[in-house]
Amino acid sequence: MWKRLRGRRRAWLLIPLVLVVAAGSGVWLLTKDDSSAAASSTTETVSSQTIQQTVSADGTIAARRTADDSFAVSGTVTRVAVDEGDTVKKGDVLATVDREALVATRTAAASSLDAAITQLDDDYDDDASDVQIAADKANIVSARATLADAREAVDDATLRATVSGTVTDVGIKKGDSVGSSSSSSSSSSSTGMSDSSSSSSTTDTSGTISIVSTSSFVVDATVAAEDADQLKKGLQAEITATGVDDTVYGTVSEVGLVAQTNDSGAAVFPVTIEVTGKQKDLYAGVSATASIVVKQVEDVLTVPSRALTTEDGATYVTKVVDGKEVKTAVETGEAYGMSTEVTKGLEEGDTVVIPGFTMPTGSGSTGEQQQEGFPGGGQMPDVSQMGGGGQMPGGGQ
């Protein structure tokens, strides 16, 4: 879909956590003792798990539906039924305009239709020409259309909510003149001064009443350019919103095709995520981060990458068999964070040994030792390189 100049960033989640971790596993053990000391090794029971690859999207919660309702007919406002902050349902009355002239137009249109029908009947009785009969029928069709428009105009004299939600703005008041043909006017005297006695008391306005939904939301977000081609409509997402403790779920509904520039000047693509279900604790305008699942693999057998060792191009683990440690050859697959897939050599339920770490020596403070590196001079594994299928300790790909 898009060509990328940079490699993709990947985030891998392991769900659910089904490896039974022995106490102390994965913790860097530190000591203030000046002498070197080896941390005890631990064991883990191997089990299958579900792997998820995700893409992060940052954005803002927004109302799923909004409406700016206004009159489709012209007239003088006779009633405004809502105030800002009111909750309305779809179809509720928002305001009305004077319908006297509209009703009169409807009555005239009905009379015109009756007259057209009568004319056709009379011409049939008088054996009128085919041309006349055709003209009479055309008049009836036109009169019916005019009556339908007049009836609709009378209905439109009552402004109704097109969505359910909260009224956020009321742009009209009683006495205002609304509609495309409305205008406020004042006559002028011969001296050129405005004659207040003949000035209209109405105000020309579009007559808009704004409503936003309060229980249905979307996340208007952006993703990095290198991640955009992994997204498509229908992908599931977990959403973390400011001020909301529980995880909210959603579905990608739209992925933009045109890049934007974020505050840092980097290229990003817009994405819209529809929040699942009705939400009472969300509010439009708050910040949100979505974790979009772009890949999911079931029943993956993994071990901690530290359990793997490589000798002469072969990869091994130390497996516990009947209480004894047995060096076992394995074949590995893709690396996921700090774990690596094992495709051959282990089965679910096997127990493997996780080696400990040798502590550094010297009289320096513990804090200084931590800053300089891991025990034994090792460096922190670069986790960002583990999700892209790169070489892992022990030969994982």
Side-chain angles (χ1 to χ4, degrees):
M1 185 175 181
W2 292 277
K3 292 182 178 179
R4 306 293 176 215
L5 298 180
R6 299 192 302 270
R8 299 172 181 166
R9 296 176 301 166
R10 293 184 178 177
W12 291 97
L13 304 178
L14 307 183
I15 62 168
L17 186 59
V18 295
L19 296 180
V20 180
V21 183
S25 175
V27 178
W28 296 105
L29 302 178
L30 301 177
T31 179
K32 294 183 179 180
D33 194 333
D34 290 341
S35 63
S36 62
S40 299
S41 54
T42 59
T43 60
E44 290 191 10
T45 301
V46 180
S47 181
S48 298
Q49 51 193 299
T50 297
I51 304 295
Q52 286 186 342
Q53 180 185 349
T54 64
V55 167
S56 180
D58 297 323
T60 304
I61 299 293
R64 185 174 185 177
R65 290 187 295 270
T66 62
D68 292 323
D69 294 333
S70 60
F71 284 101
V73 295
S74 301
T76 301
V77 177
T78 57
R79 177 191 175 205
V80 177
V82 295
D83 293 315
E84 291 182 10
D86 286 351
T87 299
V88 296
K89 295 181 179 180
K90 183 178 180 179
D92 284 355
V93 175
L94 303 178
T96 59
V97 295
D98 185 3
R99 39 186 275 162
E100 182 177 354
L102 300 174
V103 171
T105 300
R106 182 184 63 185
T107 301
S111 298
S112 296
L113 177 59
D114 290 340
I117 294 172
T118 300
Q119 183 64 51
L120 176 61
D121 292 340
D122 291 344
D123 286 341
Y124 271 131
D125 293 340
D126 295 340
D127 293 328
S129 65
D130 291 342
V131 174
Q132 183 59 51
I133 296 299
D136 291 344
K137 290 181 178 179
N139 289 336
I140 291 175
V141 171
S142 177
R144 282 176 175 162
T146 300
L147 178 58
D149 290 342
R151 286 171 174 169
E152 184 178 357
V154 172
D155 291 340
D156 288 342
T158 300
L159 181 62
R160 298 182 182 276
T162 57
V163 299
S164 298
T166 299
V167 177
T168 58
D169 182 69
V170 179
I172 53 175
K173 62 181 182 297
K174 184 177 180 180
D176 284 352
S177 182
V178 296
S180 58
S181 63
S182 64
S183 63
S184 57
S185 61
S186 62
S187 60
S188 300
S189 65
S190 58
T191 60
M193 300 296 292
S194 175
D195 185 355
S196 60
S197 63
S198 61
S199 297
S200 170
S201 62
T202 62
T203 301
D204 181 26
T205 177
S206 62
T208 298
I209 296 179
S210 299
I211 304 170
V212 298
S213 61
T214 53
S215 59
S216 298
F217 297 92
V218 297
V219 181
D220 291 329
T222 58
V223 298
E226 60 266 30
D227 293 330
D229 60 352
Q230 302 180 70
L231 301 185
K232 62 181 179 179
K233 184 177 180 180
L235 291 178
Q236 300 301 302
E238 294 186 1
I239 302 164
T240 302
T242 301
V244 179
D245 294 332
D246 296 334
T247 299
V248 178
Y249 298 92
T251 304
V252 174
S253 61
E254 185 177 357
V255 180
L257 300 178
V258 180
Q260 302 174 352
T261 303
N262 63 12
D263 294 339
S264 302
V268 294
F269 281 81
V271 57
T272 301
I273 302 168
E274 290 189 2
V275 177
T276 302
K278 302 293 184 181
Q279 303 293 332
K280 296 181 179 180
D281 297 331
L282 286 183
Y283 299 95
V286 303
S287 299
T289 298
S291 181
I292 304 170
V293 180
V294 296
K295 182 179 180 181
Q296 181 165 302
V297 185
E298 307 288 342
D299 298 327
V300 179
L301 199 68
T302 65
V303 296
S305 299
R306 290 194 296 113
L308 301 170
T309 59
T310 301
E311 296 180 12
D312 299 326
T315 302
Y316 300 90
V317 298
T318 300
K319 184 168 67 171
V320 179
V321 181
D322 296 330
K324 298 180 180 180
E325 295 184 359
V326 179
K327 183 178 180 181
T328 305
V330 295
E331 294 182 7
T332 59
E334 190 167 0
Y336 306 104
M338 298 297 290
S339 298
T340 300
E341 179 184 11
V342 175
T343 59
K344 188 175 182 181
L346 289 177
E347 295 181 356
E348 190 169 3
D350 286 343
T351 301
V352 296
V353 176
I354 312 299
F357 293 94
T358 301
M359 308 313 297
T361 60
S363 58
S365 66
T366 302
E368 292 175 350
Q369 293 171 3
Q370 293 182 54
Q371 292 175 2
E372 292 177 358
F374 278 159
Q379 299 300 313
M380 170 71 79
D382 188 353
V383 178
S384 66
Q385 300 300 322
M386 296 181 182
Q391 183 71 25
M392 286 292 301
Q397 298 298 317

